[in-house]
Amino acid sequence: MSASPTPTPRLLGVGGYLPSRTLTNPALETMVETSDQWILERTGIATRHIAADDESVATMAVEAGAKAIAASGIDASDIDLVLSATCSMPYAVPGAAATIAHGLGIPAPGACDVNAGCASFTYALAWAADAIKAGSARRVLVTGSEKISPFIDYTDRSVCIIFGDGAGAAVLAADDRGGVGPVVWGSDGEQAAAIQVPAGEQYLRMDGAAVFRWATSQMVDVARRACASANVAIEDLAAFVPHQANLRIVDSLARSLKIPTEKVSRNVVDTGNTSAASVPLALDRLVQEGRTTSGDPMLLMAFGAGLTYAAQVVNCP
Ligand code: UT7
């Protein structure tokens, strides 16, 4: 066998989908002992979206995936790998990826789900890039989709106020221009119980304050290492797209990294925390608002259940 040059991955296009039904803070005031003011001050969230009964992880991913494929200018049939990032499937088997591929008319791609909690999308994006570099795929659809509302106890005010449903998607392809930096990832299994659906139970339980402390103290170094490994100075980033968990976490990380607010994704305000969908939804919002220039470097970063985290610098589509 003769050696051939290593293919380089590039982000070609993104897409997003939010269910039409919304759950506002005043509506939550009628469900649990809370207030619009407390939620805004402690989380920055004003409203979130809730999927309809006939919407699922797969149907929302198909909506977002179709937009990402259209934005990429490729044909669905060109995709040879589909990775579905999610932690809110209502059952263990089967995963959503093959169903998503079928819904998009992608014939017989490799297909599997990736579950690293809210960090699932950034993990899946790294694996998509590695599959392209290794030559085992040429065009990859990565979806981040969550119907997390069935796992939320709407009598638990410490959890129900932050989460929402939605989906985002991205297409990565082998492209001479490259533009996907190395991933920096890791985990802290000692804190596994901080975000969990306890065995035999239906609802997500979270030690929000512990996760908050961990994220604001540990993720700054992760962000710095992701930029350093991509050889991109933090001041040269065109955008910072952190997991939309809580606006106070987003703003604290941006402050520590000295990234000005106008470069920071802050759509948690009207999406809530959509777990694995949050980074691709935020990316899609940046592109839709015309806030990005093709080829500019953005820092993507997510963290969540596990605890897990993953960050990488990716050039704008
Ligand atoms: O996406 C996966 C990763 N997850 C995250 O990143 C979540 C990170 N954590 C958070 O976003 C925040 O911790 C929460 C928004 C979940 C909670 O905010 P907090 O500022 O950390 O509040 P806390 O849990 O420390 O609670 C402070 C007080 C408590 O009252 P006492 O004990 O001081 O009297 C809570 O009972 O606020 C009370 N509280 C509320 N009050 C009104 C908790 N939730 C509410 C509420 N409305 N919804």
Side-chain angles (χ1 to χ4, degrees):
M1 279 194 297
S2 60
S4 52
T6 303
T8 50
R10 186 173 180 86
L11 179 61
L12 290 190
V14 293
Y17 174 78
L18 288 165
S20 57
R21 189 172 142 211
T22 56
L23 178 60
T24 62
N25 293 348
L28 279 164
E29 283 177 347
T30 69
M31 298 159 71
V32 281
E33 199 182 327
T34 191
S35 67
D36 182 33
Q37 189 190 350
W38 191 96
I39 301 172
L40 283 173
E41 281 176 10
R42 308 299 289 181
T43 73
I45 300 168
T47 190
R48 66 283 298 138
H49 295 254
I50 304 294
D53 288 347
D54 62 353
E55 291 181 306
S56 67
V57 166
T59 65
M60 292 191 289
V62 166
E63 297 284 344
K67 290 181 191 163
I69 293 167
S72 303
I74 64 165
D75 212 71
S77 60
D78 295 331
I79 290 169
D80 47 12
L81 178 62
V82 175
L83 298 177
S84 160
T86 185
C87 64
S88 58
M89 287 295 282
Y91 40 74
V93 176
T99 308
I100 294 166
H102 180 68
L104 287 164
I106 306 170
C112 77
D113 287 19
V114 175
N115 183 350
C118 298
S120 302
F121 178 83
T122 45
Y123 269 80
L125 202 66
W127 278 326
D130 287 349
I132 289 169
K133 283 188 234 164
S136 46
R138 287 200 53 86
R139 294 187 184 87
V140 188
L141 174 70
V142 183
T143 62
S145 181
E146 301 281 19
K147 184 174 180 177
I148 205 158
S149 50
F151 296 96
I152 302 302
D153 176 356
Y154 286 96
T155 66
D156 180 352
R157 68 180 184 173
S158 67
V159 173
C160 71
I161 50 135
I162 69 168
F163 287 101
D165 298 329
V171 172
L172 248 63
D175 186 305
D176 290 342
R177 292 170 295 173
V180 178
V183 69
V184 170
W185 54 20
S187 61
D188 179 3
E190 201 180 338
Q191 296 199 68
I195 309 173
Q196 62 169 335
V197 178
E201 293 185 24
Q202 182 182 348
Y203 296 126
L204 183 88
R205 302 295 175 200
M206 182 173 71
D207 181 348
V211 179
F212 192 104
R213 277 193 303 274
W214 172 77
T216 48
S217 63
Q218 304 296 310
M219 291 307 115
V220 174
D221 179 56
V222 173
R224 289 200 176 109
R225 285 192 284 132
C227 289
S229 62
N231 282 319
V232 172
I234 290 178
E235 56 269 29
D236 292 339
L237 288 171
F240 176 40
V241 190
H243 173 38
Q244 303 291 298
N246 176 326
L247 195 59
R248 283 165 58 221
I249 298 179
V250 170
D251 287 346
S252 161
L253 295 175
R255 247 190 334 270
S256 301
L257 293 163
K258 299 191 172 53
I259 301 175
T261 306
E262 62 273 16
K263 291 185 178 180
V264 181
S265 287
R266 299 170 91 242
N267 53 312
V268 66
V269 173
D270 56 42
T271 62
N273 179 340
T274 58
S275 183
S278 92
V279 165
L281 269 171
L283 251 178
D284 182 57
R285 178 81 64 94
L286 281 177
V287 173
Q288 294 304 322
E289 291 178 350
R291 289 167 62 193
T292 58
T293 303
S294 181
D296 281 357
M298 311 172 283
L299 173 61
L300 316 185
M301 182 167 78
F303 51 84
L307 298 175
T308 57
Y309 56 85
Q312 64 266 90
V313 173
V314 174
N315 288 1
C316 296

